[in-house]
Amino acid sequence: MKMPRRIRTYCPYCNEHNEHEVEKVRNNPPSEMKWGQRQFRRVTSGYRGYPRPLPTGGKPTQKTDLRFRCNECGKAHSRKGFRTSRLELEG
Ligand SMILES: [Zn+2]
């Protein structure tokens, strides 16, 4: 799916419609200091590898994670994600 890079939509901070910049949100790599990651390293170390069956297949589409940044106030808000196989920002 193709999506424009800038759209005019409602800004909840300005309480009016303004031009918004569309950004994709990337997730950060897991921190090695977090409890879940330490647990994972402990469990997978030594004999016996992965603690649960390896995930196979997966969903055919992924939900989008977009952030809309207002050009007037500079604040960002997000919307409900929708499913699409590929998202292209253009314009
Ligand atoms: Zn705004």
Side-chain angles (χ1 to χ4, degrees):
M1 179 192 158
K2 286 179 181 171
M3 189 160 186
R5 204 175 287 277
R6 32 184 59 228
I7 55 168
R8 190 172 164 77
T9 189
Y10 177 73
C11 173
Y13 303 101
C14 304
N15 203 22
E16 58 184 6
H17 276 65
N18 282 327
E19 188 94 345
H20 280 70
E21 205 91 32
V22 183
E23 308 167 350
K24 278 186 193 174
V25 181
R26 296 181 187 169
N27 44 3
N28 303 326
S31 168
E32 291 291 330
M33 298 301 283
K34 289 272 194 247
W35 180 83
Q37 197 61 20
R38 298 201 310 267
Q39 185 77 1
F40 181 76
R41 294 285 175 227
R42 193 177 313 132
V43 167
T44 49
S45 68
Y47 297 108
R48 287 178 185 266
Y50 210 67
R52 49 191 166 270
L54 277 172
T56 53
K59 293 189 176 176
T61 59
Q62 285 176 340
K63 266 199 181 171
T64 57
D65 192 5
L66 295 175
R67 204 165 275 170
F68 298 88
R69 190 170 294 279
C70 175
N71 283 353
E72 293 298 317
C73 63
K75 289 187 176 179
H77 69 274
S78 49
R79 282 181 185 172
K80 216 180 214 179
F82 52 92
R83 290 198 166 272
T84 180
S85 58
R86 216 165 72 114
L87 187 77
E88 272 179 56
L89 293 176
E90 59 173 14

